[in-house]
Amino acid sequence: MAGRRYTPRTPAPSRTPASDGAPRVPAPSPGPLTAPESTRTYTPAAPLHLGLTLGPLRRGPGDPTFRAVPDGTVWRTSRTPEGPATLRLTAAPDGTVRAASWGPGAAWSLDRLPVLLGELDDPAPFEPRHRLLAESVRRRPGLRLVRTGLVLESLIPSILEQKVTTDEAYRAWRLLLHTFGEPAPGPAGGQDLRMRIPPDPRTWTLIPSWEWHRAGVDDKRAATIIRAARVARRLEEAAAMEPAAARARLELVPGIGPWTSAETVQRTNGTPDEVTTGDLHLPGIVGYALAGNRDATDADMLELLAPYAGQRHRAARLLLLTGVSPPRRHPKMRKVDIARW
């Protein structure tokens, strides 16, 4: 059973990384802040909320690949098929999205901007059958399901989140990226934002065992990441597959199961029906919200979501955004810092 707890809020403005996220080895200097900038303006066909749509891509408030600033601007970094890229997105009052991008992958990022922001996502078939869902739909007309088309960047942090607390997984992600990632192209790589590009597949395979240990990552999760990185090209093909085939492709890698594959394809493929099973908290949240059953199992959750077949992930996401969850009656999952062993 996975230990990650869902964070159903709109991303708050990001903080710069804490001192525990700084590398122990000197980091490369960021590229020139005057690097060429490419721009694009995109007008969605329906209301779009950047924070709600892109929020699932952020792995904690100190994620080096994601920043949300107070004016609503969202910064994101990626390792695209054409190279590293930084993407800055700002929603204008008239509903348009103004995008700027830097780095070798800038053109790729801008070309795929509409898809990233949910242009292929159609919420029309979703019919709320519960007052909480109806209210959530009414209050969040700008929610779209994100679709990155990039598998490894969502798969690796999902593996890090297996069977540990959210804070532990987020800390590991920060440490590994600040140590082994690259400074983001353009202004995001400077001291104000300190954003990073995730390591390339070969770099993931070469991380020494003691660095995994220092980041709090046990041998099982580290080995799973290394196995995935070694077949990265094949896994990246899953972004163009139907959801069931994409999940099957990911689950061929030992250590990747239904929880991890669902968490990944929800982000990479924009899948409205791939609901997460095996989660420590989600069944209880869905069960409590829809039926007052705080002890719901995966089977109970799937039964409650059955009327939303084809849109079950959307239903679960909308429920999480309501903030309704059963009162805590058990202690939090115990944190285990293996770096101290």
Side-chain angles (χ1 to χ4, degrees):
M1 182 175 291
R4 174 177 180 263
R5 181 170 185 133
Y6 278 74
T7 306
R9 303 179 185 83
T10 303
S14 304
R15 301 192 300 266
T16 53
S19 58
D20 70 340
R24 290 191 179 183
V25 296
S29 302
L33 301 188
T34 57
E37 170 187 322
S38 301
T39 61
R40 175 176 181 174
T41 299
Y42 166 58
T43 304
L48 174 69
H49 191 292
L50 286 178
L52 288 175
T53 300
L54 296 175
L57 301 181
R58 185 173 76 165
R59 308 292 180 154
D63 184 351
T65 71
F66 192 105
R67 297 279 188 263
V69 297
D71 67 359
T73 297
V74 173
W75 295 77
R76 163 174 156 75
T77 68
S78 297
R79 184 175 292 280
T80 78
E82 296 178 4
T86 300
L87 185 63
R88 184 187 67 204
L89 302 172
T90 305
D94 62 0
T96 61
V97 176
R98 298 169 184 167
S101 192
W102 296 261
W108 189 94
S109 294
L110 294 177
D111 286 345
R112 287 189 54 88
L113 180 64
V115 174
L116 174 71
L117 297 180
E119 185 179 64
L120 301 181
D121 177 40
D122 181 13
F126 181 76
E127 297 182 8
R129 298 166 182 258
H130 190 281
R131 63 172 184 82
L132 278 177
L133 285 168
E135 180 67 10
S136 191
V137 169
R138 184 186 69 80
R139 296 181 60 186
R140 298 169 180 88
L143 172 66
R144 294 293 179 271
L145 299 182
V146 69
R147 184 171 186 165
T148 66
L150 298 170
V151 173
L152 215 63
E153 71 172 27
S154 288
L155 176 62
I156 289 177
S158 295
I159 295 170
L160 290 174
E161 291 167 6
Q162 293 175 350
K163 299 186 178 181
V164 296
T165 66
T166 303
D167 288 346
E168 290 173 282
Y170 290 167
R171 176 182 177 273
W173 180 241
R174 290 195 308 269
L175 280 169
L176 291 167
L177 262 65
H178 279 292
T179 305
F180 298 102
E182 304 170 23
Q191 289 301 309
D192 288 344
L193 295 177
R194 292 187 63 212
M195 297 185 73
R196 308 288 287 183
I197 300 292
D200 60 33
R202 176 171 169 77
T203 299
W204 283 115
T205 68
L206 297 178
I207 294 176
S209 60
W210 59 87
E211 292 289 356
W212 291 111
H213 188 81
R214 185 175 73 85
V217 182
D218 58 83
D219 292 344
K220 182 177 179 180
R221 286 179 293 150
T224 301
I225 290 172
I226 291 170
R227 284 193 291 265
R230 285 174 175 163
V231 292
R233 183 181 62 80
R234 295 284 288 163
L235 296 185
E236 292 293 345
E237 294 172 356
M241 296 179 177
E242 290 299 311
R247 293 185 64 177
R249 173 68 63 88
L250 299 183
E251 291 176 26
L252 289 174
V253 178
I256 297 176
W259 184 89
T260 306
S261 69
E263 288 288 302
T264 302
V265 301
Q266 287 166 5
R267 296 164 170 83
T268 61
N269 297 50
T271 53
D273 195 50
E274 299 305 305
V275 64
T276 303
T277 57
D279 191 82
L280 183 62
H281 304 283
L282 185 60
I285 293 173
V286 173
Y288 183 78
L290 295 182
N293 179 10
R294 64 177 300 152
D295 299 312
T297 63
D298 275 341
D300 296 328
M301 175 181 69
L302 293 176
E303 183 178 352
L304 289 168
L305 293 176
Y308 305 101
Q311 297 283 323
R312 294 177 301 170
H313 169 52
R314 190 187 310 278
R317 180 90 198 282
L318 286 164
L319 285 174
L320 289 166
L321 287 169
T322 68
V324 174
S325 62
R328 185 183 299 277
R329 67 182 182 192
H330 298 295
K332 289 184 177 181
M333 186 175 182
R334 185 171 68 92
K335 293 184 180 181
V336 179
D337 185 2
I338 71 168
R340 297 177 180 269
W341 295 1

